[in-house]
Amino acid sequence: MEQAIVLAASAIGAGLAMIAGLGPGIGEGYCGGKAVEAVGRQPEASGAITKQMIIGDALAETTGLYSLIIALLLMYANPFIGKL
Amino acid sequence: MPNGYIGLLAEEARSFTVDGPLKSITFDFLGKEWIVSESVVVQWVVMLVLAIFFFVLGRNLKVVPTTRRQMIAEYIVGTFTGQVDDSMGPRYKAYRPYIGALFCFIFLSCIMGIFGLRNPTSDVSVTGAWAIITFVLVFYTKIKTGGVKGFLKSYVEPAPFMLPFNIIGDFANPVAQALRLFGNNVSGMVIGGLVYFALGGIAGGLASIGIPAVLSLYFDLFSAFIQSYIFVTLTMAYVSMAETD
């Protein structure tokens, strides 16, 4: 019974952790939109802008990946089961 | 995957991931048992493929290219040379071969899932090792450009109270870099496995033919290319930003 509760809570927690995917989505979309604007204004600088955009995207993505790691931990290497 | 506790949930989830035909190798040496993990064995395959490919490309080069083989080789080298020169400047000429090799290695490692092998990049110790190389290169560049004094001084700039933040920043970069590559590949692998699992129940498994190929195209090819490009770009950015004077 206790195990079932912990497993169910872990599954729900893994799902809830992925709500953090919202943040990178908004951030990267904003980043991409601004990059398109910048290329529209200055097409000759598109190479440099793309590089900056990808670095910005990669940094914005980090929080989402941390939440993914937590979800994976809850699914594959659950730390709470051992405490029962 | 971490070999922690394997619960009921984990048993179910484990069947979603891809288990390739290559297995880990166990051997006895100096009275101890050594284990070479599957991701290392797959990386040997990647190294072999890259070595043979570039050996064949680089043979019998002429000053004026006449064969298509040499055109391809020159295109590859020219692309990486241009990338490194754009991002780091011509002072970092020595990084051209490293960046090129790193990109090819990461890209081929990421697309190993297409050939039915397990991605080495879905093992956090592999991506961690690559990130540690970048970490060492950053420190090397700092000490080389500024000397030990400049290296130490870069931690109290722009103000002394920034010291803890600078130190945390130095250690957070490789962690984030390793987890980024790992997270992207593992998420692709898990989602692909889940889709196979779900489609396997429809029409007696017939639905799982063809449809996952679209997902595989995105996760294995597109995502692999973008992620290896990001890893390489971040390596170049971190190294060239580490310059102290």
Side-chain angles (χ1 to χ4, degrees), chain A residues 3-4 6-8 10-12 14 18 47-48 50-52 54-63 65-66 68-69 72-82 84, chain B residues 1-11 13-14 16-17 83 86-88 172-173 175-176 179-184 186-187 190 194 226-227 229-230 233-234 237-238:
Chain A
Q3 202 194 16
V6 169
L7 285 178
S10 303
I12 294 170
M18 289 317 294
T50 310
K51 205 188 89 202
Q52 294 294 332
I54 283 181
I55 292 177
D57 274 356
L59 293 180
E61 208 176 43
T62 313
T63 49
L65 286 171
Y66 289 155
L68 176 74
I69 301 285
L72 285 175
L73 273 180
L74 286 173
M75 276 171 72
Y76 288 95
N78 198 321
F80 303 119
I81 290 279
L84 285 179
Chain B
M1 284 302 113
N3 284 322
Y5 173 79
I6 301 172
L8 290 173
L9 201 61
E11 280 292 1
R14 195 167 281 265
F16 296 148
T17 60
Q83 279 289 330
D86 277 357
S87 313
M88 304 171 84
N173 282 345
V175 172
L179 288 183
R180 180 173 302 120
L181 195 56
F182 167 73
N184 273 288
V186 159
S187 63
V190 170
L194 283 170
I226 292 288
Q227 286 311 317
Y229 179 68
I230 286 176
T233 311
L234 282 178
Y238 288 153

Side-chain angles (χ1 to χ4, degrees), chain B residues 134-199:
Chain B
T134 306
F135 181 67
V136 171
L137 283 177
V138 165
F139 274 74
Y140 171 75
T141 314
K142 273 189 180 178
I143 294 177
K144 195 187 169 202
T145 52
V148 178
K149 200 174 151 223
F151 165 69
L152 293 174
K153 198 167 160 258
S154 72
Y155 280 97
V156 289
E157 276 172 355
F161 73 87
M162 289 295 282
L163 176 69
F165 301 104
N166 283 333
I167 293 173
I168 291 171
D170 263 2
F171 284 90
N173 282 345
V175 172
Q177 215 182 0
L179 288 183
R180 180 173 302 120
L181 195 56
F182 167 73
N184 273 288
N185 278 284
V186 159
S187 63
M189 200 169 80
V190 170
I191 292 171
L194 283 170
V195 168
Y196 266 115
F197 186 75
L199 290 176

Side-chain angles (χ1 to χ4, degrees), chain A residues 19-68:
Chain A
I19 293 177
L22 275 176
I26 295 170
E28 287 184 22
Y30 195 73
C31 192
K34 285 287 177 188
V36 171
E37 273 178 25
V39 173
R41 208 175 295 132
Q42 228 178 341
E44 66 274 14
S46 69
I49 291 167
T50 310
K51 205 188 89 202
Q52 294 294 332
M53 185 196 78
I54 283 181
I55 292 177
D57 274 356
L59 293 180
E61 208 176 43
T62 313
T63 49
L65 286 171
Y66 289 155
S67 73
L68 176 74

